[in-house]
Amino acid sequence: MHIIIIGAGKTGKHVIKAAIEDNHEVYVIEKDQAAANWIAVNLDCIVIHADATNIETLKEAKAEKADAIIVTTNDDAVNMLVILLAKQLGVRRLVSSVNNDDHFPVFEQMGIDTVESPYRLNGRFLYRAVQVPSVKEFLDLGDGVEIVELIVHEKSPIDNKLIKELNKSRELPKDSRIIVIKRNNQIIIPEGETRILAGDIVAALSLKINIPQLVSLFS
């Protein structure tokens, strides 16, 4: 993926490192000279020392061909403007942090796919939103293992299936397990006879490499 990351602060560094680890083509835009220099020296990505609110800067980062942009600055006005410019240039997936919770409605009205607060999430959460948009929440347990929360969509392959049916047909990816189901504010510990229904929020334990295959069952 071609990913543009705006900001190389505490949150931005987590996003940059995670994207590089997954061998994506990473462009970083940072207007602070010292921060830009640190990223350029220490991380394997293309760094542009410039103001991301200038559309020419985004074009320099090849925004017209970008798969995603992740905006991580601590200024919501800057984040909004960058997202608007990115939309204008046709960036496919837009992810932005929001520093003031009062601004959430504004970001949502802009049609941003995912909006998360850096006070509740770290940089890896923002990056995860680009990787697997359908994941509602996730917890990295280390050693390539994660717990993810997914919403069961109507008529998805997993809708209206019994747990024992999924196990018998081996529809779930290898080494993946459904561990909790949230339904109408109730917590269900699933057993073989438990039926999964549209609208359920399912917590699943899985290897990270199997998450995309797992997500496809819920969509």
Side-chain angles (χ1 to χ4, degrees):
M1 292 174 66
H2 175 180
I3 300 176
I4 301 172
I5 299 167
I6 311 300
K10 184 177 179 180
T11 300
K13 284 180 182 177
H14 284 293
V15 179
I16 295 164
K17 290 176 181 178
I20 291 172
E21 286 173 5
D22 285 342
N23 297 314
H24 293 303
E25 181 184 6
V26 179
Y27 284 74
V28 176
I29 300 175
E30 171 58 60
K31 69 176 182 179
D32 181 81
Q33 183 70 68
N37 288 345
W38 190 94
I39 296 296
V41 170
N42 292 280
L43 299 177
D44 184 17
C45 58
I46 298 172
V47 180
I48 300 172
H49 173 228
D51 185 351
T53 61
N54 185 325
I55 196 168
E56 295 303 321
T57 302
L58 295 177
K59 289 181 178 179
E60 185 179 347
K62 301 180 181 179
E64 294 97 333
K65 298 180 180 179
D67 296 291
I69 187 166
I70 306 175
V71 188
T72 71
T73 84
N74 59 7
D75 187 329
D76 285 345
V78 169
N79 294 349
M80 290 179 195
L81 180 53
V82 173
I83 288 295
L84 287 172
L85 293 174
K87 288 183 70 174
Q88 182 179 331
L89 292 172
V91 179
R92 302 173 195 173
R93 182 135 183 85
L94 310 168
V95 178
S96 176
S97 60
V98 179
N99 299 279
N100 185 336
D101 286 349
D102 292 338
H103 295 160
F104 269 93
V106 179
F107 278 79
E108 290 170 350
Q109 289 172 13
M110 291 166 61
I112 301 173
D113 295 327
T114 301
V115 179
E116 302 293 0
S117 166
Y119 296 114
R120 292 185 289 114
L121 307 176
N122 61 26
R124 281 190 169 272
F125 246 117
L126 291 173
Y127 172 61
R128 205 74 174 93
V130 168
Q131 285 186 302
V132 192
S134 301
V135 172
K136 184 176 176 62
E137 299 282 356
F138 92 101
L139 175 64
D140 190 341
L141 300 179
D143 296 324
V145 179
E146 294 182 353
I147 295 176
V148 295
E149 274 193 1
L150 299 134
I151 298 175
V152 180
H153 292 277
E154 190 175 357
K155 297 182 180 180
S156 63
I158 206 169
D159 180 21
N160 205 36
K161 291 284 185 69
L162 296 174
I163 295 292
K164 66 179 183 181
E165 293 175 338
L166 295 172
N167 293 334
K168 184 177 181 180
S169 62
R170 298 183 179 179
E171 289 182 70
L172 291 175
K174 184 180 179 182
D175 298 321
S176 298
R177 299 287 185 276
I178 293 174
I179 55 177
V180 173
I181 298 173
K182 296 180 184 179
R183 180 183 299 157
N184 298 326
N185 296 320
Q186 292 183 322
I187 299 297
I188 301 170
I189 306 301
E191 299 179 352
E193 295 295 331
T194 303
R195 189 176 297 277
I196 297 173
L197 302 176
D200 286 350
I201 298 175
V202 173
L205 178 70
S206 179
L207 292 176
K208 180 179 178 180
I209 59 173
N210 291 335
I211 298 297
Q213 182 183 350
L214 182 66
V215 167
S216 67
L217 294 174
F218 288 77
S219 302

